[in-house]
Amino acid sequence: MDVSVGFVLGLVKSTLRLIYIGVVRVFDPRSTFWESFFEKMIVVVADKESDECANTVMYDAMGCFEFRDKLANIGLVKNIEFVFSRKYGGQRSSNLLLVGGPKANFRTKMVFDNLKKNGNKHYCFDNFGIIQHCSRGAWAPSYNGESIAIDWAVVTCIDNIFDKRFRMVICSGIHGFATMGALRFLSDKQSVGILIQELKERCCGGWLPLFCGAGKLIRGKSYQFILKVEVVDSMPVGVSLESGSLCFIDDA
């Protein structure tokens, strides 16, 4: 009798979880952002190649594990695979998440070099690690004494430069805790909801519902945006979309 009851309860629990995941995929704004990645996501993380990048890689790793747990627990991504940037190569025909700035992640540098080569107006990092845009200005960390209080990250969403059938998202912070903050932003329901609403306003005036085509329209766009990351004791404690920073990239 106990076995039968346990089986029924397990079946009910599994059914309720499937219903919950179905509801999430329809109404959760994170589903709109990550829909292309549902079947599989390959996360390309930086290698620990120097003491200079050691802390960056540590923050990237912590952010990745938090990110994976959040998305997997609500069923937004079935399969998440991690690979180091220097060892990445055979998985190009897939949806990719690149984690880390161009100084730490070799593949991120390839993407930004490719955008620059194509002459696109986009956010990039200068030789000092500062985020710049040719017409929008620059973003540098703010300090409280010797500690960073405000840091910045840029998120880039484009077609996979290795295989245009797939998508690519790049999270690049000036420092590791900014990259970690960007991953938190992209896995947070309220934060992604704010981003999706701004994308809707820019793409279709905000009136078209996501399930009537707005979501597909958004996922086909190439764009970047800046995130402001509040830092306390070298950890991100708050992340917000920088007002007016959403920038579409032509022919990226």
Side-chain angles (χ1 to χ4, degrees):
M1 184 68 178
D2 292 340
V3 175
S4 299
V5 171
F7 174 78
V8 171
L9 289 175
L11 185 61
V12 170
K13 185 177 179 180
S14 298
T15 302
L16 290 174
R17 175 162 176 78
L18 287 173
I19 293 172
Y20 169 73
I21 290 173
V23 171
V24 166
R25 291 197 66 202
V26 172
F27 296 104
D28 194 312
R30 291 171 295 185
S31 179
T32 298
F33 187 87
W34 293 110
E35 177 68 25
S36 301
F37 293 73
F38 175 67
E39 292 295 334
K40 184 175 182 179
M41 174 194 295
I42 294 180
V43 182
V44 183
V45 296
D47 300 274
K48 184 180 177 181
E49 293 190 322
S50 67
D51 292 337
E52 186 179 9
C53 293
N55 287 337
T56 297
V57 174
M58 178 190 72
Y59 284 109
D60 292 353
M62 289 191 297
C64 281
F65 288 129
E66 284 185 11
F67 174 85
R68 177 198 63 188
D69 292 344
K70 276 190 177 182
L71 263 63
N73 285 341
I74 57 176
L76 288 182
V77 180
K78 285 184 179 179
N79 182 16
I80 300 179
E81 176 183 338
F82 292 90
V83 61
F84 287 116
S85 58
R86 295 283 176 178
K87 296 181 179 179
Y88 166 77
Q91 313 94 331
R92 295 188 173 198
S93 294
S94 182
N95 296 300
L96 303 177
L97 171 63
L98 272 57
V99 178
K103 191 172 184 179
N105 192 320
F106 170 69
R107 300 298 172 178
T108 299
K109 185 178 186 305
M110 286 182 62
V111 173
F112 279 99
D113 286 348
N114 184 72
L115 291 174
K116 186 176 180 180
K117 179 180 66 177
N118 291 338
N120 294 297
K121 294 181 178 180
H122 65 284
Y123 296 108
C124 61
F125 290 82
D126 67 11
N127 294 332
F128 300 98
I130 306 304
I131 299 173
Q132 291 190 333
H133 189 282
C134 62
S135 61
R136 293 170 178 255
W139 289 261
S142 300
Y143 288 80
N144 182 8
E146 296 183 356
S147 301
I148 293 177
I150 301 294
D151 205 7
W152 303 91
V154 57
V155 177
T156 305
C157 306
I158 58 175
D159 288 336
N160 186 336
I161 65 170
F162 306 111
D163 190 333
K164 296 291 187 180
R165 296 174 300 169
F166 299 93
R167 293 287 286 175
M168 174 182 282
V169 174
I170 305 98
C171 289
S172 311
I174 295 177
H175 297 92
F177 32 72
T179 300
M180 185 178 180
L183 288 168
R184 286 182 175 177
F185 180 94
L186 293 177
S187 59
D188 179 72
K189 181 178 180 180
Q190 183 176 356
S191 299
V192 175
I194 293 170
L195 171 64
I196 292 297
Q197 183 58 41
E198 184 160 346
L199 284 165
K200 281 179 61 181
E201 293 287 344
R202 295 283 298 276
C203 291
C204 50
W207 62 271
L208 187 64
L210 293 175
F211 55 82
C212 291
K216 184 176 181 180
L217 183 64
I218 288 171
R219 286 190 294 272
K221 294 290 186 180
S222 295
Y223 56 92
Q224 294 177 300
F225 53 91
I226 299 290
L227 296 175
K228 179 181 180 180
V229 182
E230 299 174 51
V231 182
V232 175
D233 295 330
S234 298
M235 288 295 289
V237 296
V239 190
S240 57
L241 179 64
E242 175 74 344
S243 178
S245 70
L246 180 62
C247 174
F248 289 97
I249 305 173
D250 296 327
D251 300 322

